[in-house]
Amino acid sequence: MSTPLIERIAVKLEEAINAITKAKGFNYDLTAVRPKRIHLEGDINTDRTVIIEQESAVKEQQTGETITWRQAFTLQALVIDSDTETEALDTRLNKIRADIEKQLTSSTYQDCDGLADGILLKDPEKFIIDPQLSGIAVNIDVEYTTDYDDPYMSSSSSSSSSS
């Protein structure tokens, strides 16, 4: 069976986060995780892990042939407190947020390799889970269009390919 378009987009987001490395000019090496169960966050206490959560989708527009969706994602970057850390917590959160935003708005990932119409940045949110664990949630919407009768197919790819 084929993979739905929204799932392929989620995989591209995971690839984008995993490509954020110091070797590529970013501030930190980040690692993406897509939860395999509810409340996985409690099991992950690793600094610079980014938990990708798929939120609700909104149908933006529907025509006879296509549906345009706005799919929300929350990218929760975890930052663990450390006595050996030399940078302020807010500095680390700001750098991680900037790394993620830079990556997602780059020409490489802005359209998720042609699967999406674009990524829209929304307001970020700082969070504190416990005294040692905090982070920044980078909230985004991914807009994409499927064929009306086929959520596995992008309307742009169906008109340009016959697969």
Side-chain angles (χ1 to χ4, degrees):
M1 183 116 226
S2 296
T3 303
L5 181 59
I6 187 56
E7 177 59 21
R8 292 185 299 176
I9 289 170
V11 168
K12 285 294 174 190
L13 291 175
E14 184 176 13
E15 288 175 12
I17 297 303
N18 286 329
I20 297 174
T21 64
K22 288 191 253 183
K24 292 182 181 173
F26 291 96
N27 290 294
Y28 298 104
D29 295 332
L30 301 181
T31 303
V33 174
R34 291 184 63 210
K36 293 177 179 40
R37 59 185 173 155
I38 298 172
H39 301 299
L40 176 65
E41 299 90 352
D43 297 339
I44 300 174
N45 290 326
T46 305
D47 199 28
R48 295 180 304 275
T49 294
V50 179
I51 300 168
I52 300 174
E53 289 190 37
Q54 188 171 325
E55 309 291 347
S56 297
V58 174
K59 188 186 320 180
E60 290 285 302
Q61 181 178 344
Q62 180 174 333
T63 68
E65 297 176 8
T66 64
I67 301 175
T68 300
W69 296 96
R70 185 178 296 250
Q71 175 66 60
F73 287 89
T74 300
L75 311 174
Q76 295 181 34
L78 304 179
V79 177
I80 300 208
D81 219 358
S82 167
D83 290 336
T84 60
E85 184 59 55
T86 58
E87 288 188 308
L89 175 63
D90 284 340
T91 301
R92 289 181 282 155
L93 295 175
N94 290 337
K95 286 181 177 182
I96 288 172
R97 173 186 163 200
D99 281 351
I100 293 171
E101 289 176 349
K102 179 179 179 180
Q103 181 75 323
L104 295 180
T105 58
S106 71
S107 59
T108 304
Y109 291 103
Q110 175 59 34
D111 68 354
C112 297
D113 272 348
L115 297 173
D117 301 326
I119 294 174
L120 307 166
L121 298 175
K122 299 190 314 189
D123 295 342
E125 300 172 74
K126 181 179 176 179
F127 61 87
I128 298 172
I129 296 174
D130 63 43
Q132 286 79 38
L133 182 61
S134 60
I136 188 82
V138 176
N139 299 301
I140 63 170
D141 281 346
V142 178
E143 194 168 276
Y144 68 100
T145 305
T146 63
D147 289 350
Y148 174 76
D149 60 351
D150 190 355
Y152 296 89
M153 183 64 69
S154 163
S155 67
S156 59
S157 66
S158 66
S159 60
S160 63
S161 72
S162 59
S163 53

